[in-house]
Amino acid sequence: MWNQGGYQDQGQGGFSSPGGFGTPQGTQGDRKSRNRAQNILPCTTAEILSANQNDDKFYSGEIELSQITIVGLIIAVKESPTRIDYEVDDMTGPPLEVKQFVDNDESVPETERIAALRENTYVRVYGTVRSFGGKRNVTAFKMVPVMDMNEVTYHMLEVTHSHLALSKQSMSSGAPMNKTAADDIYSNQDSGMVSGLNQVQNQVHSIIQSNMSDEGASIENVCKQLGGVPERSVREAVEFLSSEGHIYSTIDEDHYKATDS
């Protein structure tokens, strides 16, 4: 997802490893001056595994890999009451470990438990890049099975387009990029309205996005700010936004943060 007609950061031209962007060669001071992409960044497993690490941050070229999305094939699954571990392979490099934290202990009713996705399933993962014990992984806040194999190809085009957009920004010395049709897939940046959402969904998304607290915005607070909108309509909008990956739950099912906040 893009911000202000493109990613806010500026990238360098040229891939230097399979499926990834160039490795940064700047100094510590250069790295501190980088901005991170403010929204979800489409990338590959190779890009994540080859990214440079600076403290708890990861850089691909000049871009901080914070919230990302990948598409790949699940080749291994390991379940526990509190976590489901996957190995996801997108064929650009070695498989990447994806961790999904769940609450599936015996006290949780069977109907409320999160079912693990099966091996040999293509999946889109939304999450954050992490490192534990020197091993890179993605902590997923949303995983969605791929229903149309065209999405696999489309994702690789997204990765390429984002790189070209960043390269264009760099060559134009940071000048704002012209808005493209691809930008509209994610959001209408001029109006703050997300394309593909109705009025109530956009209002709910805007309120949740503007909440900067760790626990996020509560449904009760969203209802208060929207005034005359029925709570049922708000909850339906929240459910839709969550299913589409625009928001995710935090401390419970009544508190949400935007994935691009």
Side-chain angles (χ1 to χ4, degrees), residues 19 37 40 55 61 79 87 98 101 141 143 155 187 207 254 257:
I40 294 178
D55 296 328
E79 297 183 62
E87 284 190 22
V98 175
F101 288 90
F141 52 75
M143 298 182 66
H155 175 74
S187 62
I207 292 172
D254 281 330
K257 286 184 70 68

Side-chain angles (χ1 to χ4, degrees), residues 4 18 22 51 74 91 98 100 103 110 114 147 213 237 241 248 257:
Q4 301 300 326
I74 297 174
M91 311 303 175
V98 175
Q100 184 181 31
D103 184 9
E110 189 73 28
I114 297 177
M147 306 305 293
S213 63
L241 292 169
Y248 61 96
K257 286 184 70 68

Side-chain angles (χ1 to χ4, degrees), residues 89-232:
D89 188 1
D90 69 356
M91 311 303 175
T92 64
L96 179 67
E97 189 175 62
V98 175
K99 301 178 183 292
Q100 184 181 31
F101 288 90
V102 296
D103 184 9
N104 285 349
D105 62 31
E106 295 180 356
S107 64
V108 178
E110 189 73 28
T111 55
E112 296 180 12
R113 298 180 187 180
I114 297 177
L117 299 172
R118 299 295 99 193
E119 293 181 12
N120 298 317
T121 299
Y122 274 92
V123 65
R124 178 178 285 277
V125 178
Y126 300 90
T128 53
V129 181
R130 296 284 185 265
S131 179
F132 182 76
K135 186 176 181 180
R136 301 281 172 84
N137 67 79
V138 168
T139 299
F141 52 75
K142 186 176 181 63
M143 298 182 66
V144 184
V146 171
M147 306 305 293
D148 184 347
M149 291 306 296
N150 287 324
E151 186 172 352
V152 179
T153 303
Y154 177 72
H155 175 74
M156 298 308 295
L157 293 174
E158 283 184 311
V159 173
T160 303
H161 179 85
S162 64
H163 173 262
L164 293 175
L166 293 167
S167 298
K168 182 177 179 181
Q169 272 195 335
S170 180
M171 289 186 290
S172 62
S173 301
M177 292 175 54
N178 292 329
K179 191 173 180 65
T180 67
D183 296 328
D184 282 328
I185 293 174
Y186 295 106
S187 62
N188 183 331
Q189 300 295 342
D190 293 333
S191 65
M193 303 288 280
V194 179
S195 298
L197 302 184
N198 62 32
Q199 185 176 358
V200 173
Q201 290 163 354
N202 261 305
Q203 289 175 327
V204 171
H205 180 264
S206 179
I207 292 172
I208 294 175
Q209 187 182 46
S210 64
N211 190 298
M212 295 293 105
S213 63
D214 291 337
E215 66 272 16
S218 67
I219 292 180
E220 180 182 4
N221 179 257
V222 174
C223 290
K224 287 180 179 178
Q225 292 194 50
L226 289 179
V229 178
E231 181 178 343
R232 179 179 176 180

Side-chain angles (χ1 to χ4, degrees), residues 53-107:
Q53 183 173 358
N54 181 21
D55 296 328
D56 60 345
K57 298 181 179 180
F58 301 88
Y59 292 93
S60 178
E62 295 295 315
I63 301 299
E64 181 187 343
L65 303 182
S66 179
Q67 295 186 118
I68 57 88
T69 179
I70 60 172
V71 173
L73 181 69
I74 297 174
I75 61 173
V77 183
K78 182 179 179 181
E79 297 183 62
S80 72
T82 59
R83 198 176 75 199
I84 306 174
D85 292 340
Y86 299 92
E87 284 190 22
V88 177
D89 188 1
D90 69 356
M91 311 303 175
T92 64
L96 179 67
E97 189 175 62
V98 175
K99 301 178 183 292
Q100 184 181 31
F101 288 90
V102 296
D103 184 9
N104 285 349
D105 62 31
E106 295 180 356
S107 64

